Amino acid sequence: MTIAPTTHRPTTALDLSDAGNWHAAVPRAEFARLRREAPVAWNERYDGHRGFWAVSGYEEIGLVSRDTARFSSREGVISLDDFDNAQSDARRTLLEMDPPQHTAMRQITAAGFGPKAISRLEADVRRRTIALLDQLVGAGPFEAVSALTKQIPIVTLCSILGVDDRRRDDLVRWSDLLIGSDDPDFVDPAYSHFTLEERRMLPFGHPASLDAFALGRELADDRRRAPRDDIVTLLVQGEVDQRPLNAEEFLNYFLMLVVAGNETTRHTMSHLLVALAENPGEWARFRRDRLNPRLAVGEALRWATPVHFVRRVAVAPVELAGTMIAAGDKVAMYFASANRAEAWFDEPDAFRIDRARNPHMAFGGGGPHFCLGNFVAQLQLRVLLEEMATRVAAVELVGKPSRLRSNHVNGVKSVELRLHAAS
Ligand code: HEM
């Protein structure tokens, strides 16, 4: 039996594009209602941008994510705003491409992010993680984002990209500014002279991208002279349509990696630490029963879901879950919802450190854009869990986490913790 598409528009009760509606917590109750009543719902906007479809159903997200012919990435992925063509082109990275252009772009760095290349980083990641834990375990309360969860991903990222460790703090600062533009804590007066029009054409709409570009140019010049075993070398040697990447393609690719590799892994680690503090029995069980760290990594990713949504645009009229979507409509896939879907996860609102059935969508809903950095992220999370298991008896939450104000990233700005030493 075919179901006739509805002509009425089921709607969201909250404006999900309003960062204020995510600041205190992810709006779980609204997503539970949407999954039940309207897995594809219209979200009106009241700030001049057109509204969009909020897809909260697990199955529907899988369909949209895999169907690149009908749901395009070209008009923007990480924002719910309307972009004109010039703006989209100026900001474009492989995230905002469809096959076959996307396939060629992704191919350039794919080997550098594959399991073989990433496994070579393990000893180094472990050494750095141990060094950080040695300073923090048993040493009294500390702010965990700056002392621990920011540190591991940025060191790894510098090593993959081939960025000198002395530029580490710059990379963290730039990606904080680029991701945190809806949070008053991340307003930097150094960039206040940039006009709205200038910002409009910049990646993430933020002039900090220009500073990251300057570093990207330096690195590219260096690697053209002296190639190394790193991602920047792959980028300067890489080709699309039998030509090297142009300056804009290279710089946007580089910047996207800086941000993608930095924020997401950090926030997953921060949410994991909070979850371990709030579920001491799960941590005790993990240590006592030597549970599988790979399952714990999966649960950390599901629990944290650091990227709330990614967006597509419908290229032609299409029906989804009985709802008609018009050509040109924006469609946001809410992983924040899918990862708590009752039909796919037993007791989805519980943190289960050895959750065995865990088809989470933290890295995307499947298809060609599935997170390129997933092996790097999982390696770092696994090493952190393994090294904590032998050193940390309990994680104690000393202060309430301070959350990033963002409609896109489930960020933790700071959290006071204590790591109690294992005897
Ligand atoms: C916990 C950590 C991470 C999470 C949750 C995450 C999440 C995601 C998601 C949801 C997408 C899909 C975008 C889409 O469907 O349009 C994605 C794509 C991507 N991620 Fe990650 N990511 C993480 C870590 C990383 C790291 C460490 C890197 C690199 C150093 C990275 C690089 C990328 C790249 C390059 C893409 C674009 C892939 C493409 O369009 O083909 N990610 N990530």
Side-chain angles (χ1 to χ4, degrees):
M1 189 182 80
T2 49
I3 303 170
T6 53
T7 45
H8 85 283
R9 289 186 159 189
T11 53
T12 59
L14 282 181
D15 178 2
L16 297 170
S17 70
D18 180 347
N21 285 329
W22 297 83
H23 198 190
V26 173
R28 302 266 177 230
E30 169 66 347
F31 278 125
R33 182 190 75 79
L34 288 171
R35 282 195 301 276
R36 254 188 340 265
E37 297 173 8
V40 179
W42 181 253
N43 189 118
E44 196 54 65
R45 286 189 65 172
Y46 306 95
D47 56 357
H49 290 276
R50 280 183 304 133
F52 61 94
W53 293 101
V55 184
S56 54
Y58 187 100
E59 294 82 355
E60 289 78 7
I61 291 177
L63 289 172
V64 172
S65 188
R66 289 186 165 82
D67 191 349
T68 55
R70 284 198 285 189
F71 296 98
S72 170
S73 291
R74 285 188 58 80
E75 291 182 38
V77 169
I78 57 169
S79 164
L80 296 165
D81 295 352
D82 300 323
F83 291 154
D84 61 38
N85 287 344
Q87 210 179 352
S88 297
D89 285 345
R91 295 171 167 213
R92 192 174 307 288
T93 71
L94 81 155
L95 260 180
E96 293 92 5
M97 290 175 187
D98 294 330
Q101 192 194 12
H102 166 262
T103 320
M105 264 306 180
R106 182 162 166 134
Q107 204 53 40
I108 294 175
T109 57
F113 284 106
K116 210 163 129 212
I118 296 308
S119 67
R120 290 204 295 268
L121 297 173
E122 177 157 348
D124 212 30
V125 170
R126 197 173 291 282
R127 197 167 40 249
R128 306 262 195 177
T129 304
I130 292 173
L132 288 166
L133 288 174
D134 280 349
Q135 289 169 24
L136 300 170
V137 177
F142 61 96
E143 199 287 287
V145 176
S146 50
L148 182 61
T149 65
K150 236 182 214 187
Q151 302 300 332
I152 301 172
I154 192 61
V155 172
T156 311
L157 189 66
C158 285
S159 146
I160 297 173
L161 291 173
V163 175
D164 192 293
D165 276 356
R166 280 170 302 184
R167 302 307 297 269
R168 234 193 264 165
D169 292 345
D170 287 335
L171 290 195
V172 170
R173 191 163 48 83
W174 296 330
S175 70
D176 280 352
L177 288 169
L178 297 177
I179 290 291
S181 54
D182 278 335
D183 190 313
D185 282 357
F186 290 111
V187 175
D188 186 335
Y191 299 108
S192 58
H193 60 284
F194 282 86
T195 63
L196 278 181
E197 182 53 24
E198 284 167 329
R199 288 168 187 263
R200 220 171 61 81
M201 303 303 277
L202 292 172
F204 301 87
H206 201 292
S209 53
L210 297 174
D211 292 333
F213 283 176
L215 173 63
R217 274 191 209 95
E218 262 177 52
L219 291 168
D221 289 346
D222 183 76
R223 296 312 188 275
R224 277 193 203 99
R225 281 193 303 270
R228 288 202 215 160
D229 182 14
D230 60 29
I231 296 285
V232 172
T233 304
L234 291 180
L235 288 175
V236 297
Q237 292 179 344
E239 293 195 346
V240 279
D241 303 332
Q242 291 152 353
R243 57 156 181 89
L245 300 188
N246 63 36
E248 192 174 80
E249 287 166 337
F250 166 82
L251 292 172
N252 284 349
Y253 206 138
F254 170 75
L255 178 62
M256 199 265 281
L257 292 175
V258 168
V259 178
N262 214 330
E263 298 281 333
T264 46
T265 316
R266 173 207 308 179
H267 297 312
T268 308
M269 289 178 172
S270 302
H271 285 293
L272 168 65
L273 291 171
V274 174
L276 297 179
E278 290 176 341
N279 298 272
E282 290 299 283
W283 181 238
R285 227 160 50 76
F286 180 75
R287 297 184 64 230
R288 187 190 60 226
D289 300 344
R290 297 175 186 271
L291 297 178
N292 183 347
R294 288 175 204 271
L295 295 184
V297 168
E299 182 64 345
L301 287 159
R302 184 191 75 89
W303 190 252
T305 313
V307 178
H308 295 316
F309 76 87
V310 294
R311 128 184 177 197
R312 303 291 187 254
V313 167
V315 292
V318 55
E319 183 206 324
L320 189 63
T323 303
M324 276 316 291
I325 294 178
D329 280 358
K330 292 175 286 189
V331 177
M333 299 178 266
Y334 277 98
F335 307 129
S337 171
N339 280 348
R340 299 291 177 104
E342 300 73 4
W344 290 84
F345 306 98
D346 300 332
E347 293 188 273
D349 293 323
F351 178 79
R352 294 279 169 265
I353 203 158
D354 57 346
R355 184 179 292 277
R357 180 175 177 249
N358 188 1
H360 70 77
M361 288 186 168
F363 289 129
H369 289 281
F370 189 79
C371 176
L372 183 61
N374 77 88
F375 294 111
V376 200
Q378 293 181 86
L379 167 71
Q380 297 173 86
L381 287 160
R382 176 170 59 76
V383 167
L384 177 63
L385 279 157
E386 287 169 354
E387 296 307 327
M388 280 179 60
T390 56
R391 293 171 174 78
V392 178
V395 182
E396 182 192 344
L397 205 52
V398 177
K400 201 169 166 307
S402 159
R403 285 175 57 78
L404 182 70
R405 188 177 184 283
S406 166
N407 68 14
H408 187 229
V409 171
N410 194 18
V412 178
K413 286 190 291 190
S414 61
V415 56
E416 287 277 313
L417 290 176
R418 195 193 302 257
L419 297 180
H420 293 276
S423 49

